[in-house]
Amino acid sequence: METKKEMIYPVQPWDITETAFCQENNYRNETTFALSNGYIGTRGTFEEGYDFSIDEGLEGNFINGFYESEDIRYGEWNFGFPVRSQSLLNLPDGKRTRIYLDDELFDMRTGRTEEYCRVLHMKEGVVERRLTWTSPGGRKAVVHFERLVSFTHKNVMAQRVEIQPLEGIKQITVQSCLNGNVENHTRKTNPLVDYGPFGRRIQAVCCEDNEGCLYFQGKTLKSGLSVACGAAHDTHTVCSYSGSVSEYYAQGDYVFPAESGQTIVFDKYIVYTSSLDMPEEELKEFVHREEEKCIELGYKNLRREQTEYMDDFWKYADVQIQGDDALQQGIRFNLFHIMQSAGRDGRTGMGAKGLSGEGYEGHYFWDTEMYVLPFFIYTAPEIARKLLEYRHHTLDKARDRARDLGHMKGALYPWRTINGEEASTYFPLGTAQYHINADIAYAFQLYVNVTGDMDFFRDMAAEVLCETARVWADVGSFARCRGDRYCICAVTGPDEYNAIVDNNFYTNLMARENIRDALNALKRLKEMDIKIWKEFVERLQITEEETDYWQRIVDHMYFPYDEERRVYPLDDGFMMRKPWDDSKIPPEKRHLLYENYHPLFVYRQRMSKQADAILGMYLHSNLFTEEELKRNYDFYQEVTLHHSSLSTCIFGILACEIGYYDEAYEYFSQSARMDLDDYHNNFYAGIHAANMAGTWQAIVNGFAGLRTNGGRLELKPYLPEKWDGYSFLLRYQGNVIKTVISKGMAEFSLLEGKGLSIWIQGKEICLTEKENTYAEKI
């Protein structure tokens, strides 16, 4: 296992603090201090807007789901290859706010900066920066910035600047800017992409200054989407104003007299929207209405609403750890970032990098369903439902994609996407990952099981379960050479070092359970309402012959098995491949195999990039004995390189299940602060959302042993030796259960709801409104 890096930020329970401005750390810190609300995302750049190089920083502002397209170039094209790209587009920058002390521009790279402190307040959802700056000419002031991206007003970002003149200043100018001349840093953030977007991709439609309200509207060159951004201001005191406008740039200068001891307060409200939400002719009026609401509401009330929203989130989502302050800080940092990254409108998903950067082109992957959604399902089911609604919203495009791949029925979800169409240009590591169908189906089923939301089941989940199952019933066949069992060939599992394989264990397992869930969904629909069931099967044209075939697949799915090791290999050919020898690979190339070796070299080695079969065994642990889990865990420990941020948390969870607690704790420690301490030196490109969410699973599903895959709520708590205790809340079928694990004792309390049965260490206990607490020794 890797050695952990030194901690970058001071250890604090609820804050992430930068104690000095250091330009060489700027790019990384822009991700650390990024803010989002699931609709707007903004990187943690400085308000004064420095001209950093492409290797030093990226001014990034994004709208979830807003993308630019390019024609994809192929050396050789085949039928079914995507022809248009989708890239999350960097949008007009409304944050820039320059400060002049008389005629000297505030710039931390000049003069003298003292008492510098920038803080991400995770409990409140606010970033603030405070410092004392002395200009080269000797002028001195205290400057305080605050920023939030509102959770209660999805189109709004707000900034407050406070300037207290101390020495030698006669007047202060605050220069508010709105810059539409922006572009993506594709060659830095997505270096393997050759189609762009490159250069400015938004054509200006209008740019104006309406008595201090700055406005820019533009349209993308290829995707045809329109974006609007406005900035309104509240100066709180008398000042003079002048504005200027060019095609892509609007600027307003506010000049204040400087009086010693008098603090200037300058509030800026930045509003974003796009033609994804309304016709483009309505954009300007909408932006101005939102600006007026902000001015009327005021910054203090916006901040109060932000704190109230965060209080409600942390009430259910917080995981408290006693005995390790660094890991406590790490888990809260992770939960904060994934919470603020999730789409909340039912039309957008959650990118692998959230809205914190351009990495992976802003695409949505399987990460959401397999790593992020379990956290939301148990703590914030309203967000989970919206993320699942996005998948249902794009179901017709998944049906179209299935036809592209030769399936006459059903739906095949894209491997990576924004608008619902496939955007992966390398099919062995993209479209071939059919398991995404089962991953999405798994998340729908988990949500229904945990929440009991039967309206959602009837209106959306049942359809997704059946349409994804149809592809599994078409992609494989019953093979004589495998005992007339159902085989699925030419797919890629989660492990991207083993591509286009036959009978990937994870894929076959998840496919079978996907079909099983579809059959159960039809049965449940029929039991709920025979009329609704009849309309459903008639609309989808599901026949008894078809469901009989599904059942045959469930009963006769094939799984590769090695009799000598008594394990399930990754796929049919895994044990035939050349054993991997890590010592023959130069250290600097070991984590970048695809950038240093031809894919065929990689595919021929007996090794695994990340958790694959192990992931399936964790998700469906109720189908395996403890001895089976141990044998397979030991085997995959030997061959897994953990070259993906999605891997260690899964190994740690299964290690807990089989009693390998020391290994589990080591894996968790690697995962919990991976981004916060930038273990892989790539945090500048954006968060690793799946790993962040995986750390929650590592505690709740790992150390506490949470499982619901057996049809009931089960817990098998363990307390790591280095901790004094930990606690968390779960929301389950209308109930809220608090779990507190301390040395020698586990306590479970019903905080909300009418009561339920839970299984602790295999023993059923009942929590009711009257008998709402149970404790036992561990």
Side-chain angles (χ1 to χ4, degrees), residues 30 33-35 42-48 59 61 95-96 118-119 125-129 145-149 157-160 270 299 303 306:
E30 288 178 0
F33 296 98
L35 292 176
T42 187
R43 285 178 62 77
T45 52
F46 295 112
E47 285 80 359
E48 55 270 30
E59 177 57 68
N61 300 279
K95 291 185 298 187
R96 182 170 296 185
R118 178 163 58 158
V119 185
V126 174
V127 168
E128 72 166 329
R129 175 169 52 119
F145 299 92
E146 273 197 3
R147 179 187 302 163
L148 62 86
V149 177
M157 182 193 320
Q159 294 183 164
R160 167 164 282 191
I270 306 156
Y299 181 82
R303 198 185 193 288
Q306 189 83 342

Side-chain angles (χ1 to χ4, degrees), residues 659-676:
Y660 293 1
Y661 295 120
D662 289 343
E663 289 183 18
Y665 191 80
E666 182 63 25
Y667 277 131
F668 172 72
S669 299
Q670 288 181 24
S671 303
R673 294 183 63 94
M674 188 188 77
D675 274 355
L676 188 55

Side-chain angles (χ1 to χ4, degrees), residues 123-362:
K123 195 173 180 61
E124 301 167 22
V126 174
V127 168
E128 72 166 329
R129 175 169 52 119
R130 187 185 298 273
L131 57 97
T132 301
W133 185 69
T134 305
S135 73
R139 297 171 175 86
K140 188 174 184 179
V142 175
V143 186
H144 178 219
F145 299 92
E146 273 197 3
R147 179 187 302 163
L148 62 86
V149 177
S150 175
F151 287 112
T152 53
H153 304 268
K154 80 168 192 174
N155 301 89
V156 175
M157 182 193 320
Q159 294 183 164
R160 167 164 282 191
V161 184
E162 297 176 333
I163 309 159
Q164 181 184 359
L166 296 180
E167 297 177 12
I169 307 170
K170 295 180 180 180
Q171 72 175 28
I172 294 173
T173 301
V174 179
Q175 188 179 85
S176 177
C177 311
L178 176 52
N179 180 23
N181 187 18
V182 295
E183 61 183 68
N184 283 40
H185 284 192
T186 301
R187 298 208 185 280
K188 175 70 175 180
T189 55
N190 294 288
L192 302 182
V193 171
D194 78 335
Y195 48 72
F198 301 122
R200 187 173 65 212
R201 303 300 302 175
I202 297 176
Q203 179 67 45
V205 173
C206 71
C207 188
E208 58 189 38
D209 169 25
N210 182 16
E211 297 180 350
C213 290
L214 309 180
Y215 181 77
F216 176 88
Q217 184 173 323
K219 192 167 188 173
T220 60
L221 299 181
K222 284 289 185 71
S223 66
L225 300 177
S226 294
V227 63
C229 179
H233 312 88
D234 189 352
T235 62
H236 299 274
T237 189
V238 176
C239 61
S240 64
Y241 176 77
S242 62
S244 61
V245 175
S246 62
E247 185 180 10
Y248 283 90
Y249 193 84
Q251 175 180 306
D253 290 4
Y254 297 81
V255 181
F256 300 83
E259 300 178 18
S260 181
Q262 181 96 10
T263 299
I264 293 168
V265 179
F266 184 85
D267 296 333
K268 185 172 185 177
Y269 304 104
I270 306 156
V271 177
Y272 285 93
T273 191
S274 83
S275 57
L276 291 169
D277 293 303
M278 65 195 71
E280 56 186 274
E281 60 269 18
E282 298 178 11
L283 295 175
K284 183 186 292 189
E285 182 182 350
F286 175 84
V287 168
H288 290 330
R289 282 201 312 269
E290 291 299 302
E291 290 172 339
E292 289 172 358
K293 290 178 185 176
C294 289
I295 296 292
E296 183 179 353
L297 185 63
Y299 181 82
K300 286 186 178 179
N301 285 323
L302 267 177
R303 198 185 193 288
R304 175 184 53 78
E305 290 179 358
Q306 189 83 342
T307 300
E308 290 172 353
Y309 183 96
M310 293 303 301
D311 285 345
D312 188 61
F313 167 73
W314 288 117
K315 174 183 176 181
Y316 295 103
D318 189 27
V319 175
Q320 297 183 12
I321 299 173
Q322 291 83 43
D324 195 321
D325 294 341
L327 290 179
Q328 175 70 87
Q329 182 187 38
I331 188 70
R332 284 179 174 150
F333 179 74
N334 295 344
L335 299 184
F336 173 79
H337 267 288
I338 60 174
M339 178 278 295
Q340 68 171 0
S341 300
R344 290 160 163 78
D345 57 12
R347 295 186 301 100
T348 54
M350 177 172 167
K353 297 291 184 184
L355 292 169
S356 65
E358 297 175 1
Y360 294 123
E361 301 180 78

